[in-house]
Amino acid sequence: MQRRSLSATDNVSAAPASSRSAAALDGQGRRLQGIGKTYVLVHGAFHGGWCWTGVARRLRALGHTVYTPTLTGLGERSHVMAARPTIDTFIEDVAQVLHFEDLTEVLLVGHSFAGSVISGVADRMPERLQHLVYLDAAVALPGQALTDIGPPGLVDGYRARARAAGGDGASIPPPAPEALCLATITFAGGDN
């Protein structure tokens, strides 16, 4: 699957045109916060909630409510890696956001590795979700692990990096950025 750059001219709007035009506006024609949809954006491996900063800003400017949790042991929560998080930990991280923020009708977005996370959240609390969005994401069937569906070379590479890290294999060091072949998402006006 190839990644590409997105520009503001691409159709990446957060809500259909009909709901955009019906949103409440303040006295200066700006969309009021909290009037739109509720998004929970879940990052992929080797990231944190911070990777959604630009997307969250744009969605909030359109009046949507946005949460960008960071999964246990990653990003600014890397100091709790000793908790030995598993996929169940990550699912629980997101489920707790939905529970404690009392969120319903959520558009739950999972990028890359987080495809398996949002699938688990959907199994646990489907009544709180409106839509699942898999953004360039891994989707495993019930009973499958990501190692079951990943390309063998990629899975073997992850296992080798875990062994080389000298730990117990629970933590995989991130690859070099150039190995990820990530494209920059650029919005008109240079807002990334």
Side-chain angles (χ1 to χ4, degrees):
M1 193 174 305
Q2 286 188 324
R3 298 172 193 240
R4 64 183 181 94
S5 292
L6 299 176
S7 70
T9 58
D10 290 329
N11 187 8
V12 295
S13 63
S18 60
S19 68
R20 282 196 309 271
S21 60
L25 303 176
D26 69 7
Q28 297 175 341
R30 294 178 302 214
R31 183 178 288 272
L32 293 174
Q33 295 294 319
I35 302 301
K37 306 270 185 192
T38 299
Y39 289 84
V40 176
L41 310 175
V42 185
H43 62 84
F46 314 117
H47 281 99
W50 53 264
C51 74
W52 295 106
T53 299
V55 173
R57 183 179 328 119
R58 292 177 69 87
L59 288 170
R60 288 177 183 126
L62 291 171
H64 303 292
T65 301
V66 183
Y67 295 84
T68 61
T70 294
L71 303 176
T72 299
L74 300 169
E76 71 274 11
R77 298 184 68 206
S78 61
H79 65 284
V80 292
M81 181 53 93
R84 298 181 52 112
T86 66
I87 187 69
D88 289 322
T89 309
F90 301 146
I91 293 166
E92 191 63 20
D93 287 340
V94 177
Q96 291 295 316
V97 171
L98 273 58
H99 172 74
F100 282 101
E101 296 292 342
D102 196 24
L103 302 180
T104 59
E105 298 184 29
V106 171
L107 284 88
L108 185 57
V109 179
H111 172 250
S112 190
F113 165 79
S116 59
V117 175
I118 69 170
S119 293
V121 173
D123 284 343
R124 288 190 188 180
M125 46 188 12
E127 71 282 357
R128 291 188 177 259
L129 305 176
Q130 185 176 35
H131 294 289
L132 294 176
V133 179
Y134 293 88
L135 178 62
D136 198 11
V139 181
L141 297 174
Q144 286 183 319
L146 291 179
T147 55
D148 297 331
I149 64 170
L154 181 66
V155 171
D156 293 341
Y158 282 134
R159 287 183 176 137
R161 284 204 322 276
R163 283 190 301 272
D168 58 7
S171 177
I172 302 170
E178 58 274 5
L180 294 174
C181 302
L182 297 175
T184 301
I185 298 175
T186 309
F187 297 100
D191 182 18
N192 290 332

